[in-house]
Amino acid sequence: MASKSAAGKEKLIDDDEEVLQAVILADSFNKRFRPLTTRKPRCLLPICNAPLLDWTFESLALAGVQEIFVICRSHAEQVKTAIKESKWSKPGSGIKIVPIMTAKETFSPGDAMRDLYTRGLVTSDFVLVMGDLVSNIRIDEVVRVHKERRKTNKDAIMTIVVKESGVSHRTRSQGESSVFVLDSETSECLHYEPVTGYPKKTLAHIPRAILAEHPEIEIRNDLIDCSIDVCSVEVPSLFQDNFDYLDIRRDFVHGILTSDLLMKNIHCYVAKDGYAARVKDTKSYDSISKDILSRWTFPLVPDDNHPSGHTYEHTRGNRYISKDNTVSLARTCKIGINTLIGSSTQVSENVEIISSVIGQNCIIGPGTTITNSYIFDNTTIGSNCSLKQSIIGAGVSIRDNTTVEKGCLIGDGVVVGPDATLKAFERLSVKHEAIPEVELDEDEDEDSDLEEVEENQDSLTKGLNLGRDSNALVWPREPPSDDEDEESPENFRNQRFMRFGDEALDLYSSDAGSVSSDDEESSSDEEDFLRDRRGSMSGASDISLPLDMPSILPGAATVAETEFKSEVTQSLERAFAEGHSVDNAAVELKTLRMASNVSLSRVREAVVAAIVEKIRIVEGGGPSQRQEINNVIERWGALINMIGGVDAVETLSILQAHCASSPRMSLYGQILLVLYDHDIVEEDDIRAWHKLPEARGEGHKPGEVMDNFKKCWLIGGHMLQQFDAQDSDESGSDEGDEEEEEEDEKEAGSKSTTADEDEDDSDEEGDDDDDDDEEESESE
Amino acid sequence: MDLDTVKSDLVTREFLAVVLAGFGNELLPLTNDHGDEPCPKALLPVANKPMIEYTLIWLEQSGIKDVLLICPSMHRPAIYHHIHSDVTTSALRIDLQTYDESQDSGVGTCTLLRQFAPRITGDFVLVPCDFVPPPSLPLSVLLNKFRVDSVSDGALATTCWYESHKPEKNASPEEWGPIASPTLIIWDDLSGTLLHIDTPDDVDRNVDEVELRMSMLSQYPKTKLSSKFQDSHVYVCRSSVIRILQEKPHLDSFREEFLPWLCKIQYQKTKREKYKKALYADSNVSSQHLALEHSTLLPHSDVNQVNARSTLSMPPSPTEEDEMKDHSASLRVGITIRRADAGFAIRVNSIHNFLEINRRFLSGTTYALPLDPKNRSLIDQKAQISSDTIIGDSTQVSERTTIKKSVIGRHCIIGKMAKIVGCVVLDHCVIEDGVKLDGCILGKNTKVGSKAELSRCVTQAGYEVSPGETVKGEKLDVSDWTAAPEENTDDEQDEEDGSDETDDSDDVK
């Protein structure tokens, strides 16, 4: 191996004198390994008994890299120490490793790249990898291809190394994969589409425009993205220029490919041989461990080139036992295939270990069964325990008769048992006070998480038997209530695809359901067509008229709508309470509307509703009620027409609709009158509204709401008849007269004798009216 | 003798060829009626041989015996006359069927197939009359692919797509209408499976992007997408395709509607469920599934299927189990890709292509003076005829006439001092003295008056160009409302028609 790296180096030096640089992003920028990573960075977690970072160094050394910058963020000191102690830091290793501490404010790979740019460390084309890479791909070959391409095409700024596999390869995450669209000839990457397991991606969208220049392209859904990128010097500067690039794939690659201005190209290198994968999540931790044990990563295997320098004896069935004769195996223990046991570990009688990795200095008590589990160094497991598909941190003590079901993650130093039972996917870490103070202040943000976990211990430990000696803290099982946005691959359900031991079968089945429901609809082509049409329509309406068909729009739109409604109500309540001026309130509403991108009518609806609800129902009705209405409308009524655009007919419809389904139904007639008095609605508007078929309650299911609609319509009708009567009485009357009239009406209303007047005015109307009037007066 | 009869009884027909001969509206004005007599597209000559000949010979060479030839009823006499007068295709049993339709209203292939479904009992090959395959692509290549696919994993059909040639610049004028744009398709190279055909509906739905189902991409993770290829309209289909067609009565166009739909069956489970009766009735797979079941290579039921089964409250009955197994038939649509370097394939579905295919044939021929002394005497010694030219029988070429890169039909009369470059002149044309033709297609019985100059024109059968006229880049139709010349042409026609038939019968003898 050493000779190989030397050979690669020489070749590079021959090619050109430049030193091949690599940048390792040693931070994961996510929390998938918690609580294992509360006291340790992910890149120092051991896989097959060697820290991930060492595997990464080994992979890069294999490629002839001479200078490595390690960008560390969380637990940076630990990483620094680890690098200092690594065999690569020894003189004569031929590799220079420089740890770089980046600020705590570096929250994404994009920030790290910007940091890299400001430091100006890279001087030539470099290899960008993550700190959790396990690979035996000859990256120097990729670099050569990349440089060759750069000679003819200066815009080819990046070469992504992807590994050919299958769709459902075990190291290809179901939760986070991608579709690459490549040019068949040049393997230029033309389109990149990230795929998540949840929300389930059903359609891939490939822009037609790329066909113009590339008549034949390949769509690849079988590639493992191993996050090995050969980048040109300008890549960090592109991050600098585009400060919104966060993720290297979702933002940077997508941004470069879709940009009309940058005119840069990204190429893919499809590796047919070799192995490369990232320990992105606990599931891939499992699968990569298995890959290493099954020697896919040769020459990087436990019995040769082990990154931590351990020596293992490889025996039939991929069993690896430490070679230094310190392992003590009881005569009756059973060691299954694909198992690795570190030095100085003691395995007692009747122990069964299948497909597992046991660290150094572990003690496994008699009668214990360990299947598909990973146990880090210095852990003690008592007698008659059962461990399945779990990852157990270093220095853990699992006491006798404990059962650990699949998917459990147990952080360093935890004590569980005796007689404890851990349910599937339980996550444990050490309690706060158990952590020495020195380590605590290192990570403040994570600390806050811990505190939160601690606060909720009571509810979390309920019904859980952790054993009397336990010092464990239970991590929440359910997604946090304020779950991050569904779009991000970090959402809880999508994370389940990446969880060790989780088959996510329910998600599969639900997605199978969605697929089949898709197909059921499409089982007849007309429906298929309709569905697609509807789909596209609702898709379009998301942009243009988002809330015009709320009943059809599921999901995001309705959420946005309810959100907006509550926002409006809140802002109005504030305005009412704090006595804002109408102008200010209007401005606030306008901003809200812009921010939520909803239609004007929706705002009006909310405003009318809020104003109506603002009116107190005065016991006994009468003049005081009328005064209350008058006060409210006088103060706030103008707002209705100030939110942008005057549409009194719509206002009337909304008022009707709101009153019909509100306890303030009885106030409808009076509100209408007051609105008219304050010139918020005009007579013509009322007439126009009255003619609308919806005003009669059409399109509603028969029932109370429908009845209320009819009542409102009739009340409107009475008003109009009054208007007619006035017109005929005093045709040609001047403004003063009108005012008088209005005052008359007010009086009439305040005396709650509108009904009588109505009767006077419209004798011919007959029974219907009478009923209505009775009801109205009743309610008053 | 006894042995022979027994043998012939045992040999069952494997494929029925269904040849569709339509009106050829896309070739107007060449396919416009010549007076009362129609000019079927199938009989338009390509390098002096009716188009349909190429198709029939292609079929015959692949060993197919039975042909169902479907044409519009008004074309029947002409086509009937042709197939019964031609000796070369005597080995085929041609069943000529007609449908009633006028030139204006198009009837889709699906509709036709449904109409003639009772006559199509087994697997069939759907062939258009206008596909001119290269010699490097025998039909047996497609048939063999179908045979292998349908037996090994239950494929439904096999299609053939060819890389459309890049038209040379200025090869044909824009006035002849737009060149058909190739279709966007997605296929799996490894298994030769056609996965997706972009339809106009897809374009309507999303102009900027191609939408692909992830279920397809996970089943076929390494696919190719291209818009370089055109459909040959040759489909080898299993008989169940006819049954599916009958269940989808609203589909009309085979290529634009039915085939894209058919491609989806292979990765959409509920579609299979719905149409399984039609699909599995004659599945070859049933005979194989026991063997396949024991195969270690065949992946067993996937996650979804396990779930589907576990949700069934009742234990599945043995018959259901069998049906489930039947589902392992892939029902895919095969694809054969013809790259441009593998030989020139073309469909004569536009005037551009008509000219193009004629030119292609020219490049492969060398003109020699006819050996028959009677024909030879018609060609003047002083005529200059380049070697890449085809001149039909009984055509007269007068002195000092130059002909280059052209196909001249039979019984034409070409006057003195004419200059014909890059043209296709169909039968019975009269070209008078001093005429200049460049890149033209002359329908049959076209008459070009003396000293007329035509450049890049297409004429309808029986059109007359008056002497001295100069026309560039136009489609010339016989207009009905110009009464006087029409009478003339009609008269001529009758005469010509009479001679036509006698000539043909001469040929046969």
Side-chain angles (χ1 to χ4, degrees), chain A residues 487-530:
Chain A
E487 297 300 312
S488 143
E490 300 300 317
N491 76 62
F492 177 74
R493 274 189 249 190
N494 193 36
Q495 286 298 312
R496 291 196 46 199
F497 284 102
M498 311 183 195
R499 202 157 68 165
F500 178 33
D502 197 342
E503 302 292 327
L505 273 181
D506 53 330
L507 291 184
Y508 270 121
S509 69
S510 73
D511 96 51
S514 70
V515 166
S516 63
S517 72
D518 247 21
D519 289 351
E520 260 155 42
E521 278 186 71
S522 59
S523 53
S524 136
D525 266 18
E526 299 88 343
E527 282 175 40
D528 192 7
F529 182 73
L530 274 179

Side-chain angles (χ1 to χ4, degrees), chain A residues 204 206 208 217 219 519 525, chain B residues 198 208 210 212 223 225 261 270:
Chain A
I206 295 163
R208 288 173 197 275
I217 59 180
I219 305 165
D519 289 351
D525 266 18
Chain B
D198 211 39
D208 301 327
V210 187
L212 301 178
T223 56
L225 183 156
W261 180 85
T270 25

Side-chain angles (χ1 to χ4, degrees), chain B residues 481-494:
Chain B
W481 54 84
T482 48
E486 194 192 34
E487 273 178 21
N488 284 339
T489 52
D490 277 350
D491 290 345
E492 260 181 41
Q493 244 175 51
D494 291 339

Side-chain angles (χ1 to χ4, degrees), chain A residues 162 180-184 187-191 216-220 223 267-268 270:
Chain A
V162 285
F180 285 93
V181 178
L182 310 177
D183 186 292
S184 308
S187 68
E188 184 186 339
C189 184
L190 305 169
H191 179 66
E216 193 169 329
I217 59 180
E218 250 175 39
I219 305 165
R220 303 293 297 261
L223 300 174
H267 289 76
C268 280
V270 181

Side-chain angles (χ1 to χ4, degrees), chain B residues 179-203:
Chain B
I179 298 170
S181 60
T183 321
L184 194 156
I185 55 167
I186 294 172
W187 77 100
D188 181 44
D189 231 13
L190 204 65
S191 59
T193 307
L194 181 63
L195 297 172
H196 176 87
I197 302 172
D198 211 39
T199 59
D201 272 351
D202 290 336
V203 181

Side-chain angles (χ1 to χ4, degrees), chain B residues 396-454:
Chain B
Q396 183 189 335
V397 183
S398 308
E399 60 186 45
R400 272 185 279 172
T401 282
T402 314
I403 302 176
K404 279 182 194 164
K405 283 190 178 183
S406 298
V407 178
I408 311 292
R410 286 171 294 193
H411 305 283
C412 292
I413 299 164
I414 298 172
K416 295 168 194 166
M417 310 280 289
K419 200 176 174 191
I420 301 171
V421 181
C423 294
V424 178
V425 178
L426 302 192
D427 299 351
H428 302 289
C429 286
V430 178
I431 296 168
E432 292 183 352
D433 299 351
V435 168
K436 282 186 183 167
L437 297 176
D438 178 24
C440 295
I441 302 173
L442 302 188
K444 66 177 178 184
N445 292 342
T446 300
K447 198 175 169 194
V448 186
S450 60
K451 304 227 165 144
E453 285 184 29
L454 294 184

